[in-house]
Amino acid sequence: MDKKKYSHVAFWFLAAINIISLFESIITKEGGALLTEPEFQNLLLLAILQKLTSVKTSSADDII
């Protein structure tokens, strides 16, 4: 596999771990805001990093 595929596998692995952890924390806690959960914030950061990585690689491909 090339770096791009490893990047996608790592992204989805980390996203899955955070989603499972988020649901576990929602189930075990009564009440609380979803946006303040660290797992939700991690998912947002992962999505931003994935988007920035895809923009960076697509612009690099245009140069070559």
Side-chain angles (χ1 to χ4, degrees):
M1 280 203 272
D2 60 350
K3 288 182 183 180
K4 194 171 186 178
K5 287 185 182 180
Y6 280 128
S7 173
H8 287 294
V9 170
F11 169 77
W12 286 112
F13 177 74
L14 291 172
I17 288 174
N18 279 291
I19 289 170
I20 291 168
S21 180
L22 179 63
F23 284 130
E24 184 268 334
S25 67
I26 289 172
I27 291 171
T28 57
K29 292 181 184 177
E30 294 182 17
L34 177 67
L35 297 177
T36 61
E37 295 293 330
E39 295 86 2
F40 183 76
Q41 295 170 358
N42 287 345
L43 288 170
L44 289 176
L45 287 174
L46 281 171
I48 291 168
L49 287 173
Q50 181 69 20
K51 183 65 176 174
L52 289 174
T53 304
S54 66
V55 168
K56 182 180 174 185
T57 57
S58 66
S59 64
D61 291 341
D62 292 342
I63 294 171
I64 298 174

